[in-house]
Amino acid sequence: MDYKPVVVQRHPRPATSKHNAESCYWRQFKYPVFVKEYAPVTSVHFSLAKPHRYAVTAATRVQIYAPRTQKVTKTISRFKDVARSGCIRPDGKLVVAGDDSGLIQVFDINSRAILRTLDAHKQPVHVTKFSLANQTQILSCSDDATVRLWDVPSQTSINTFMDHTDYVRSGQVAQSNPNLLLTGSYDATVRLFDARTGECEMIMGGSSGEGGTRVTAPVEQVLMFPSGTVALSSAGPILYSWDLVAGGRCTRAMSNHQKTITTMCFNSDAGRVLTGGLDQLVKVYDVSTYKVVHTMRYPAPILCLAVSPDETHIAAGMSDGTLSVRRRNPKAFESSEHEAALSAIRTGGFESFLGALPSIGQGRVKSKEKSKPVGDVDEFTVERKRKKKLKPYDKLLKSFQYSAALDSVLRKQVLPETTFSLIQELIHRDGLRTALAGRDDVLLEPILRLLLKYVTDPRFGEMVCDVAGVVIEMYSPVLGQSPLIDTLFLRLRKKVAAELRFQQDLVRAKGALDMLLASAALSSVV
């Protein structure tokens, strides 16, 4: 009769991962690269054009980084004062930045030459952004409480809005409409301006409670959804959501940060919002429910945050001058449908769409399955079954070397399920005493350590108690001869006593809960 290998019993294991699919995705952003600047990093901005270079603003310079190497490719330092809000135009050719002297400059990203100079502001300019819908226009927000929309070719201000009464530290041009400007100010209000009328069309927040919610903290950051129907703002540690279609009504107010939220940004499809604050945390919100789906921790308070358009990099600037760049390796299937269609057209022509011909210029992928031999129809083939290779402990059991078989599964790399399955097989063969007999302190130590490790494990606790009883019965006459073995026996006894006390406490707690539930049930019936 053939030998039957040991059947390793699989026990239900507790869930080892406490992270859902969403959290697992954001945890792929690892391999952080830290770059130390000599002043706080106040702005990070990714270019929409490939290869998605990003501009980092710190002190009196704007540096352009390459995303693959994380190295500086260009340095723009032609500023009279501290630079602010370096922003790359969507086509990746120009860079605009302001400074604390009130000057706005437009640079060529390759030659670093100054192409335009805009000097109407009298106070530091903290926001300079290109309009996505009209790339010849620039939005600027200044500490002189004014918001300006500039025409780059003519180097003139198209609109000037003076409705704010305090510093304007955040602003954005709507992606869906280049005439709509959303700004946030230290006067605790969020305002929506229309460049066509030159007026403020909507006020949200403020001490008067516009939009149904009273906001008293300065507005640090504003963000508008690509559709232009919903706006987000941060004031203190609270994140507000405003419905622009409903006249600027506040729909949600979320307080998940412990300190002021200083920066916000979307992911590539605007399905998630990332917020960073002075509490050194970045929180990821699902925009459908506004629930926090993931949290990232940083070593210093966060001042700026940006996600690359292809979602391979997350860059964060901190108050201690540290730039942190986390990156992930995208999967092959994550390439856009547009690129896949272009690739098919380039390589396969129209035949690839019809499926009649193989794609031109592409190799054939060989199947991993073995091809079946082709012969005559009446040919008779004798199939030969390959014998399964036995495990080392199975070979020892087959030759009745019980002690050696037990030693082979007491190694660290062997799973506990395998070890206790072999012990169960020894019990069935009535060979456990044979395997345990005749051991010195060196051979007895791994057995006691195994019992000590899994005596409180509910999967193996009953078997551990049975084996421990046999070991104590066999080796109690020789106790006191080895200090190491005596110590292990003492630790096993203490661990069993602690587990018994714990079980007694659980029984008491269960009894108390049963009484409470019973009394609650009686009171509900009465």
Side-chain angles (χ1 to χ4, degrees), residues 115-345:
L115 303 181
R116 292 290 186 272
T117 301
L118 314 173
D119 58 353
H121 288 292
K122 305 303 180 185
Q123 295 291 331
V125 178
H126 282 262
V127 178
T128 54
K129 292 182 179 179
F130 282 102
S131 172
L132 294 180
N134 187 351
Q135 298 185 17
T136 62
Q137 294 182 353
I138 292 175
L139 170 70
S140 66
C141 304
S142 172
D143 282 358
D144 59 10
T146 63
V147 177
R148 292 178 181 268
L149 188 64
W150 300 86
D151 179 63
V152 176
S154 63
Q155 205 169 334
T156 58
S157 175
I158 304 173
N159 296 92
T160 302
F161 304 96
M162 296 182 289
D163 297 80
H164 285 293
T165 59
D166 207 334
Y167 299 158
V168 185
R169 294 288 177 89
S170 60
Q172 182 184 355
V173 182
Q175 295 184 26
S176 58
N177 189 342
N179 297 306
L180 296 180
L181 314 177
L182 184 72
T183 61
S185 170
Y186 275 24
D187 60 9
T189 63
V190 177
R191 294 176 182 265
L192 184 67
F193 297 100
D194 192 332
R196 293 165 294 190
T197 61
E199 301 291 338
C200 175
E201 303 295 339
M202 200 176 297
I203 303 175
M204 292 155 279
S207 57
S208 60
E210 297 287 344
T213 301
R214 186 170 178 267
V215 180
T216 57
V219 177
E220 295 286 348
Q221 191 63 261
V222 294
L223 199 61
M224 186 186 295
F225 278 79
S227 61
T229 59
V230 179
L232 301 174
S233 69
S234 64
I238 303 176
L239 177 65
Y240 296 93
S241 174
W242 309 93
D243 189 347
L244 302 181
V245 178
R249 182 174 60 89
C250 181
T251 57
R252 286 179 182 269
M254 297 149 284
S255 179
N256 294 295
H257 284 269
Q258 301 300 318
K259 294 183 179 180
T260 300
I261 300 173
T262 55
T263 179
M264 296 188 295
C265 69
F266 286 120
N267 66 336
S268 60
D269 61 354
R272 301 291 181 268
V273 176
L274 285 76
T275 61
L278 298 180
D279 54 3
Q280 306 179 15
L281 298 178
V282 170
K283 294 186 179 290
V284 183
Y285 294 82
D286 185 346
V287 298
S288 60
T289 59
Y290 285 106
K291 290 184 178 179
V292 177
V293 295
H294 186 63
T295 300
M296 292 176 273
R297 186 176 295 276
Y298 284 83
I302 300 167
L303 299 182
C304 55
L305 185 70
V307 180
S308 63
D310 56 359
E311 278 193 29
T312 57
H313 293 74
I314 297 178
M318 289 167 264
S319 61
D320 64 348
T322 302
L323 172 68
S324 170
V325 182
R326 301 188 182 193
R327 65 186 189 278
R328 73 177 182 93
N329 297 321
K331 304 290 175 60
F333 62 84
E334 291 183 14
S335 59
S336 63
E337 295 180 0
H338 178 67
E339 292 179 357
L342 289 179
S343 177
I345 293 172

Side-chain angles (χ1 to χ4, degrees), residues 15-65:
T16 55
S17 178
K18 298 180 181 179
H19 310 289
N20 54 17
E22 184 81 26
S23 182
C24 288
Y25 172 78
W26 293 103
R27 287 172 70 87
Q28 293 177 14
F29 288 90
K30 43 190 177 181
Y31 315 116
V33 176
F34 293 98
V35 180
K36 189 67 176 178
E37 301 284 349
Y38 56 85
V41 179
T42 56
S43 175
V44 179
H45 182 261
F46 279 92
S47 170
L48 295 179
K50 286 190 174 182
H52 305 303
R53 294 181 291 182
Y54 55 97
V56 177
T57 308
T60 58
R61 64 185 181 183
V62 176
Q63 294 178 311
I64 310 299
Y65 283 80

Side-chain angles (χ1 to χ4, degrees), residues 28 33 103 211 267 406 441 486 516:
Q28 293 177 14
V33 176
L103 190 67
N267 66 336
L406 180 59
D441 55 348
D486 294 345
L516 291 174

Side-chain angles (χ1 to χ4, degrees), residues 478-497:
V478 296
L479 285 177
Q481 297 182 11
S482 171
L484 176 61
I485 299 301
D486 294 345
T487 303
L488 291 175
F489 270 115
L490 186 60
R491 288 176 58 189
L492 182 62
R493 178 183 176 183
K494 290 182 178 179
K495 195 165 186 179
V496 171

